[in-house]
Amino acid sequence: MTDRCIDFHCHLLPGMDFDGTDSKSESAKMCKLLKTQGVATICATPHFYAWDETVDAFLARRAAAYDAVRSLYGDVRIVLGAEVQLYENLHEAPVDRMCYGDSNVLLLELPDRPFGAWVVSAIENTVFKYSLIPVIAHIERYGLRTEEIRQLAAIPRVIFQITADTLKDRRMLPLLDRIASMGVPVVLGSDAHNTSSRPPCFDTVGNCLAEKPRLFDSSVKKAQALIQNCLGSQEILEKLIFTPARTKA
């Protein structure tokens, strides 16, 4: 198992999310767990809802949360970002200020409502306005039909993120395999929120890679192929994030 994995989606910062940790000590424990699971870089991506607070208020809260715990994370590299929920007029908010680090790569979450024609338009309006590269958070979670996933896959430069823990659910492998076969880079995230109900789960990656498939068990090979695909795409996204495309205002 590599010790240089990147967790592209993690709710690590305390006090940022209604369903996340409020404890500095638990945040530090989450970081330590991810490190033992092979993660060298964690992208801290708290939820952002444009109708709930301004970008300035969100960034101030995020900075305060990070400053309160940054000394507890040791040598794990932390990249600040956000999980920005999509809505029709998202392009009206300066969401480019919430990209990963100083990059132009933005993590987007689809809303909990039926997929409509407005979804692709809203994403394209936002990414075209700010010259962004969109990462669709936990693409496997929305119950999308294949054609709907294809519509998202057709968005220029789009990247899909899947949740590492789903790799151990063999019922999910056909869907994940279908997503990975669409020619879109696919990367991993823990989407961890705490150490109890939604803990870090990158050990799934190492466990899947170490597993030896039985003679007639193709699911293990499929999981391993998916992971190799994700680790390859990680290198693409890593270069985009750590080679800043612009300087933020």
Side-chain angles (χ1 to χ4, degrees):
M1 174 62 185
T2 179
D3 60 356
R4 59 174 299 275
C5 283
I6 299 176
D7 182 350
F8 287 104
H9 182 176
C10 185
H11 297 269
L12 181 73
L13 299 179
M16 287 297 297
D17 297 306
F18 69 92
D19 54 354
T21 179
D22 287 325
S23 164
K24 290 191 289 186
S25 61
E26 184 173 41
S27 177
K29 186 177 179 182
M30 289 171 66
C31 182
K32 184 177 180 180
L33 282 171
L34 282 165
K35 182 178 180 180
T36 64
Q37 294 171 5
V39 174
T41 300
I42 302 172
C43 297
T45 53
H47 291 287
F48 173 76
Y49 306 106
W51 57 88
D52 195 43
E53 71 180 322
T54 66
V55 171
D56 284 337
F58 172 85
L59 292 177
R61 283 201 306 123
R62 190 185 69 180
Y66 179 55
D67 287 343
V69 290
R70 62 192 306 173
S71 63
L72 303 179
Y73 294 150
D75 60 353
V76 176
R77 179 165 56 177
I78 306 297
V79 178
L80 297 181
E83 181 183 7
V84 177
Q85 185 159 118
L86 184 71
Y87 74 109
E88 287 89 334
N89 296 319
L90 183 63
H91 65 280
E92 295 177 355
V95 292
D96 58 318
R97 298 172 62 195
M98 292 179 292
C99 293
Y100 292 105
D102 292 320
S103 75
N104 65 336
V105 184
L106 181 70
L107 182 67
L108 288 172
E109 179 185 34
L110 303 189
D112 186 18
R113 54 194 266 203
F115 187 94
W118 70 271
V119 171
V120 172
S121 295
I123 295 173
E124 291 181 338
N125 288 341
T126 301
V127 300
F128 291 162
K129 180 177 180 178
Y130 297 107
S131 298
L132 303 179
I133 296 171
V135 179
I136 308 301
H138 42 65
I139 185 69
E140 80 285 349
R141 189 177 299 171
Y142 306 111
L144 299 174
R145 293 176 292 136
T146 298
E147 178 53 35
E148 293 167 340
I149 299 173
R150 289 192 201 282
Q151 291 179 46
L152 293 171
I155 296 172
R157 301 200 295 174
V158 72
I159 295 170
F160 290 156
Q161 177 258 308
I162 63 173
T163 308
D165 202 34
T166 59
L167 292 164
K168 69 183 181 183
D169 186 349
R170 299 188 178 189
R171 295 169 300 178
M172 291 293 295
L173 290 177
L175 172 62
L176 299 182
D177 188 53
R178 196 178 318 130
I179 290 170
S181 70
M182 291 184 180
V184 174
V186 180
V187 296
L188 293 165
S190 70
D191 197 13
H193 282 63
N194 50 51
T195 58
S196 53
S197 60
R198 298 180 68 177
C201 56
F202 256 84
D203 52 344
T204 298
V205 174
N207 293 340
C208 286
L209 288 176
E211 190 172 356
K212 294 183 179 180
R214 294 183 293 274
L215 185 60
F216 299 107
D217 187 1
S218 64
S219 61
V220 174
K221 291 183 179 179
K222 185 173 289 188
Q224 292 173 345
L226 276 165
I227 291 169
Q228 294 300 335
N229 184 322
C230 291
L231 294 179
S233 296
Q234 171 183 299
E235 296 179 6
I236 298 172
L237 190 47
E238 185 175 12
K239 290 177 182 177
L240 291 171
I241 290 176
F242 296 112
T243 306
R246 55 170 169 69
T247 301
K248 293 185 180 180

